[in-house]
Amino acid sequence: MTHRRDPLRAGVALGAGRVADRLSLSLGLGAGSVVGGRTALRLDPRVLEAVAAGRRSVLVTGTNGKATVTALVTAALGEKGSVVTNAMGANTTDGIIAALAKDRTSPVAALEVDDVHLGAVVKGTRPRAVIALNSSREYTRGVSLARTLRHWRRTAAALPDDSVAIINTDDPLVSWAFEAAPRVVPVSGGLDWRDDALLCPACRAPHEFEGLSWSCPGCGRQRRAPQWTVVAEGDEGDEGVEWYVEHGRGRQRIEVTVPGRTATVGEAFALAAADVFGVDLAGAAERMATVADVDERYAPVQIGEHAARLMRLDNPAGWAEALDVAATTGAQLVMVVDPDGPRDTATMWESPFHLIGGHEVAVTGGRSSDVVAILTAAGVRTRVAPDVLSAIATREAGDVLVACNTPAFRRVSAQFRGGAA
């Protein structure tokens, strides 16, 4: 039996959500980016369909880079009019409901979606495109990689017939999860997503890797030929390197303001999404070049003679991204790690700190002694500072990357904005 949406019930639920938002803000309990959606969802389990109706949506999911790529997609699709997005990272179903409820008129939505919420959001929004960036372990928050991949696979098979799955073809796990989608657009950015993909998820045989290609000798699965590929001209260690995205009709130069290879690769995904929407690619690239801040990250904050850029790092792949930025650009590093449960530094032990062996890193935060042990084991010199401003002051004048785990990011971000430290 098919149950129709009840507009009256949805209206009552959204009204209650608005009341919950105002109450949360007045009591100082939060920014109102989730609680209203959570209240509405409890009163009407189908309220997401109501706030998503009449829009063309792009959903962005994956372990790393969701917020950055969502911001790039938002800019790329600007040609189609106003684009509603959950810019502050409230990427669960209730947070997405709250974002869409606050903007009922924008015809296009670019939404960051938490890995395990993808199925519910796909069902509620019936997206035009789903971008799947990568997949790796996030055990510190109790998320099973195998369960997430099965969830994605079921979701891909249930996508509407006119939906497009824009996938990271370099990642064997993402490729398997979305192979049943009605249409697949493979993207290659040249990033290494193999640590958790040594075994084929279909038959458990070891994958064979050669360059960017991969294949499974057990069941014959292999990397799809990319339709969108990121290429560099010049030495990546040289500030004059130029980036391009090659596609079926030629190539498009891209200019990246946000630091890190994830942002560079993200522009290829965003261009592929823009193409699905019929957006002019040159115009999309110009708009993406203006994206300098994502969820209060990356945009430089001037602190004395230093321009500090915040990075929030939640898992081994995130730390690897920060280390890649430091190793390839020579950026100075400050690490701020605060307590975040009994496993708050577990992900760091698996990260490739040898990439910055011989460098000196300024360390601060409630878990600074743990971080010093991890860095020392990797041959990295450390200097402990009492607080983040003192740590930044130990660096030479110029750009500084401030790499934080999630609780440290919240604290330091508030401090940089002039809030409570």
Side-chain angles (χ1 to χ4, degrees), residues 118-119 122 130 149-161 163 165 167 174-184:
L118 184 63
V122 162
V130 174
L149 292 172
R150 291 193 297 268
H151 169 74
W152 281 3
R153 191 169 171 86
R154 291 192 301 270
T155 301
L159 283 171
D161 291 341
S163 289
I167 70 160
V174 168
S175 297
W176 176 79
F178 284 88
E179 65 186 10
R183 179 186 166 199
V184 175

Side-chain angles (χ1 to χ4, degrees), residues 98-109:
L100 295 178
K102 290 176 181 177
D103 179 350
R104 301 297 299 276
T105 61
S106 293
V108 178

Side-chain angles (χ1 to χ4, degrees), residues 377-398:
V380 180
R381 293 179 290 113
T382 60
R383 180 182 297 189
V384 178
D387 54 64
V388 66
L389 296 182
S390 300
I392 292 171
T394 68
R395 309 294 86 187
E396 296 180 1

Side-chain angles (χ1 to χ4, degrees), residues 309-323:
R309 293 178 182 265
L310 282 180
M311 298 185 77
R312 185 177 68 194
L313 310 170
D314 303 313
N315 46 51
W319 283 103
E321 167 71 5
L323 297 173

